[in-house]
Amino acid sequence: RGTCWIFAAVAVLEHSYRQQGIARGWLKPNQYLRLSEQAFGIAVLDLCTQYNATCGQMVGHEIWSGGQMIPLDTEGGQTYLLYYLHSLGAGMGALPWSVCPYQAQPGSDDKCDGLDAARKTNPLRFTIRSMRTFYERQSVKETLRQGRALALSTSMVTVRYLLPCTARSADILNCDPDDADQCVACPIERAFANVPCCIESEREMVTMEGSFFRLPAGSYPEPINEGGHAMTVVGYSDHFRTRHGYVGGFILKNSWWDGLPPAPSWKHARGSHSIAYFTQTISAEDEARICPNSHSPRSWVRCDDLEECRSKPMNIIAARDSKPLNLVCIDSSPFLHGLCRAGERFFLKSLQRWEGDLYTTCFLRDAEPHASAKVSAAKSGKPLCIPPVPLEDLALVFAPIDEERRPNHPDLCGFYFFPYELLESINAETFGFQVNDMHVEWAQEAYAFNSEQYSKLNYTLVNLDTYTQESPDFRDPVPFPISDEKPKKKKLHP
C-alpha cells in the first residue's frame, strides 16, 4: 500500500500533540501518544467521498459514481489533505492506535472494526490553523529550529549499478559475459580496467544505514524516477558525512521497516539510526546498543579463521559490541544465486570496498558448529569469496542467527538522512520537493489529564496508547571502559 503520506501526516499530529501537552503540563516530558494510521486513512476516504473537489486526483484508484469520482483506496495521497479536510480534526482523523492498528495488506484500506463507535466518544480533536509550504532548504531549517515537525514530499529514484559479469560471477549474477546484447560498457575506473562486460542492475536509493544516495553521474547510467515518497522532517545536520561522501542533510522519520522485508515481493533489507547518530552526539559504540542494524553486513563481526571465530573471547566481544558474529544462510536474494544452502552456518572473514560502490567479501563455512575447530576447518574447505556486488545484497543471502538478531529500538531508531545536494538535484529534474508546515492546535479535551471535565468522552484508549519514551543512559565516555588498575582488596569487618 502506498500510504507513506499517511504516516508522515500522522507523525506531524503526534509531534504537535506531544509538544503542546508537555508545554501545558498535560503530558510528562517523556510521554507520547501513538495514533492510528489506519483510522486516519479511513477518515480521508470518508471525507473525500463527501468533498471530492477537495481531493481531486490526489488519492489513488477511483471510480465514477453519482456524478463524481469516488476514491477506492488511499494510494498516492498527499500530506496536505490534513489541512484541506478540516473535519479530520472533529474526532475523525486522530484516534488512538489501538482502535485499529495499521493493516499493510492491499485492499484493507477501509478495514477497522469498531471505528464508528470509537469516533462517537473520541476526545482527540484538533484544528489546523494554517499551513506554509517551503521549496528550499533554508526556510525548512529555520522552521525546524522552532521545534516543528514538517511533512516532506519528494521524488525518488532507482539507482542503476554496473556489475562485472565474468566467468566467476556469471552463475551468481545469472549473466553471460559472452552475450553482446546483455553486456554494457563498464565504468571508467581502475578496478574495471580488465572487465569487458558489465550488466545493469537496479537497487533502491538508500543504504542499510538509512542514508540516501545516488551513484556518480557520467560513469553510471542515470537513475530512474520511480515516483514520490513522503516522510517527516525532524531535524538537520550540516556536518554529517555519509558513506557516499555527501555532507549535510535533513534527518527524517520514515515509515519503513528495519531488518528483513515483511513480504517476499520486497527485494531489500533495510536499516536506520537515531537522531543522535546523525547529529553526531553519540558514539558509534553506544549507537550500536540502541540501533544495532543486525542485518546490515557492515555490522557483522569479522574473524580470520574458525578457531578464532568459534572462540569464547570472540563471542564475548561480539555480544559486548551488540554485533552479530554467527551467520546463517537464508538464500532469499533476488540478485545473487547459488551461493549457499539455506540453514548453513558462516562467519564473515573479510569485507573490502572495490569500485563503483561494490564490495568483495569472503565467508568461512562453519560446517559443523558443534565439532572441534580443527575438524570443522577440514570439512569447510576454502573460504566462500563473493565477487563485487552492492553490499546490501548480502543481507538477503546471510543473516545473524536468531540469538544474535537484536532489533532496533522502536522509540529511538527509524530515522534516515537525506543529503541536501541529493534532494535538490533529484527534484531539479522532476517537479521539485515540497515541505509542509501545518500549525496544529489541540483542544483541551484531547488530553486525558483533563478527563474529569469531559465525562461523556472515553479516554480508555488514550491512556492505553500513551507511552513512556525510553532514554538510554550512557554515563561513560566509552561504553565499555577498560582499566589496567588492579582492584583494591576490601577490608573485612567483623
Side-chain angles (χ1 to χ4, degrees):
R1 293 176 58 192
T3 53
C4 56
W5 65 277
I6 292 178
F7 282 82
V10 169
V12 169
L13 292 177
E14 291 176 336
H15 175 82
S16 60
Y17 182 90
R18 181 182 188 184
Q19 189 177 56
Q20 293 173 35
I22 294 172
R24 296 172 182 175
W26 298 338
L27 284 178
K28 296 178 181 179
N30 61 350
Q31 287 184 312
Y32 68 95
L33 174 66
R34 186 176 181 186
L35 299 176
S36 170
E37 294 86 6
Q38 186 77 6
F40 181 89
I42 294 172
V44 170
L45 287 177
D46 291 344
L47 292 172
C48 283
T49 301
Q50 301 175 40
Y51 308 106
N52 191 258
T54 300
C55 296
Q57 300 298 319
M58 289 188 287
V59 176
H61 300 94
E62 300 173 313
I63 59 171
W64 183 261
S65 177
Q68 65 176 2
M69 296 297 291
I70 304 297
L72 298 177
D73 58 43
T74 55
E75 183 83 19
Q78 298 287 345
T79 55
Y80 51 71
L81 285 173
L82 177 58
Y83 172 73
Y84 287 107
L85 296 174
H86 300 291
S87 296
L88 287 171
M92 289 187 65
L95 284 98
W97 183 83
S98 294
V99 171
C100 45
Y102 178 72
Q103 298 185 35
Q105 299 80 7
S108 60
D109 301 68
D110 59 350
K111 307 298 182 186
C112 181
D113 295 337
L115 177 60
D116 291 339
R119 283 176 175 175
K120 291 177 181 178
T121 57
N122 177 33
L124 299 177
R125 297 170 183 272
F126 63 87
T127 302
I128 306 294
R129 294 298 182 189
S130 63
M131 181 179 72
R132 297 184 297 170
T133 303
F134 307 121
Y135 306 96
E136 45 79 29
R137 74 170 83 165
Q138 290 305 324
S139 296
V140 177
K141 291 167 66 176
E142 290 172 6
T143 307
L144 288 170
R145 287 195 291 269
Q146 300 169 21
R148 315 283 290 174
L150 313 174
L152 166 70
S153 297
T154 178
S155 295
M156 301 287 281
V157 298
T158 297
V159 175
R160 292 197 284 176
Y161 280 94
L162 294 177
L163 308 182
C165 179
T166 64
R168 181 183 167 210
S169 66
D171 290 339
I172 297 172
L173 299 177
N174 196 21
C175 65
D176 183 355
D178 298 320
D179 186 347
D181 293 330
Q182 189 180 37
C183 294
V184 298
C186 295
I188 307 174
E189 296 179 4
R190 183 171 56 184
F192 289 91
N194 297 317
V195 182
C197 173
C198 281
I199 59 169
E200 288 189 11
S201 192
E202 298 177 359
R203 303 291 188 277
E204 63 178 5
M205 59 173 295
V206 66
T207 71
M208 289 189 69
E209 287 75 55
S211 60
F212 292 94
F213 75 100
R214 63 173 289 179
L215 297 175
S219 295
Y220 299 88
E222 284 296 304
I224 303 169
N225 189 342
E226 64 172 20
H229 186 47
M231 294 170 280
T232 310
V233 191
V234 298
Y236 68 90
S237 170
D238 289 335
H239 305 290
F240 182 82
R241 179 183 293 273
T242 72
R243 185 173 102 202
H244 293 85
Y246 292 104
V247 178
F250 292 117
I251 302 169
L252 309 164
K253 181 65 175 177
N254 207 346
S255 58
W256 292 345
W257 69 84
D258 278 334
L260 297 179
S265 57
W266 293 97
K267 299 180 180 180
H268 310 279
R270 287 170 171 164
S272 64
H273 275 294
S274 68
I275 293 177
Y277 177 81
F278 293 124
T279 56
Q280 297 175 288
T281 55
I282 189 174
S283 69
E285 293 82 4
D286 285 340
E287 177 70 7
R289 294 168 64 184
I290 58 175
C291 307
N293 289 315
S294 294
H295 288 277
S296 171
R298 290 174 65 87
S299 299
W300 301 342
V301 175
R302 301 167 215 177
C303 47
D304 289 330
D305 54 55
L306 279 180
E307 184 174 1
E308 179 188 22
C309 298
R310 300 276 303 281
S311 69
K312 185 175 181 179
M314 182 59 67
N315 279 268
I316 291 175
I317 290 172
R320 181 200 69 183
D321 293 343
S322 301
K323 294 180 178 294
L325 171 65
N326 297 272
L327 306 174
V328 62
C329 174
I330 57 175
D331 191 28
S332 58
S333 172
F335 306 112
L336 308 180
H337 309 281
L339 287 171
C340 57
R341 294 190 305 274
E344 284 187 290
R345 294 278 289 269
F346 289 86
F347 297 105
L348 175 61
K349 177 179 174 63
S350 64
L351 184 156
Q352 293 183 325
R353 188 161 189 165
W354 202 66
E355 291 278 6
D357 198 39
L358 305 180
Y359 289 76
T360 59
T361 51
C362 287
F363 293 82
L364 297 173
R365 181 176 279 106
D366 193 10
E368 295 182 18
H370 301 292
S372 67
K374 291 183 178 180
V375 172
S376 293
K379 291 190 175 182
S380 64
K382 296 181 180 179
L384 169 63
C385 293
I386 301 174
V389 295
L391 183 60
E392 276 71 17
D393 285 4
L394 299 174
L396 292 184
V397 178
F398 306 100
I401 61 173
D402 290 342
E403 297 86 342
E404 298 181 15
R405 295 187 187 186
R406 301 174 180 88
N408 284 2
H409 195 295
D411 281 355
L412 303 175
C413 310
F415 296 93
Y416 285 65
F417 192 80
F418 211 132
Y420 303 133
E421 180 185 347
L422 179 63
L423 179 66
E424 292 163 355
S425 65
I426 288 174
N427 286 280
E429 300 172 4
T430 53
F431 302 102
F433 70 89
Q434 66 177 31
V435 176
N436 297 317
D437 173 28
M438 285 168 275
H439 180 195
V440 185
E441 184 177 295
W442 287 89
Q444 178 176 289
E445 63 262 33
Y447 295 86
F449 183 90
N450 304 311
S451 60
E452 292 183 359
Q453 304 176 45
Y454 303 96
S455 58
K456 294 183 179 181
L457 299 177
N458 188 343
Y459 291 87
T460 302
L461 294 183
V462 173
N463 285 317
L464 180 65
D465 290 327
T466 297
Y467 296 90
T468 298
Q469 184 170 30
E470 295 183 32
S471 298
D473 184 13
F474 300 126
R475 300 181 181 180
D476 296 308
V478 292
F480 307 102
I482 299 174
S483 174
D484 58 2
E485 182 181 353
K486 294 182 179 179
K488 297 179 180 179
K489 293 183 178 179
K490 293 183 179 180
K491 293 182 179 180
L492 298 178
H493 297 279

